Amino acid sequence: MSCPICGGESQKSYRPFCSKRCADIDLGKWLTGAYSVPSQNPEDIENALEEAGRASAQKEIPQQTRH
């Protein structure tokens, strides 16, 4: 079996990966959402849009007023 990240030979202690490094890379992809299954449920899409709008609003820096 080859490592799904780099294609190297997998090691028994890290199976299916070849090393801790590749296992950590894979974990990072899960944690950042790189691995995801898109939903076709309209309610899920609506919730995602609302969440994205809230995240965008929090990033906006309020303009300073001049006195």
Side-chain angles (χ1 to χ4, degrees), residues 45-60:
I45 294 169
E46 183 177 319
N47 290 339
L49 290 172
E50 288 174 3
E51 185 177 321
R54 284 192 299 269
S56 177
Q58 290 176 352
K59 289 181 181 179
E60 291 179 10

Side-chain angles (χ1 to χ4, degrees), residues 14-36:
Y14 297 107
R15 189 157 270 189
F17 307 103
C18 67
S19 65
K20 181 170 179 3
R21 178 184 175 274
C22 284
D24 288 345
I25 289 171
D26 185 71
L27 177 60
K29 288 182 178 183
W30 281 105
L31 295 175
T32 61
Y35 295 143
S36 63

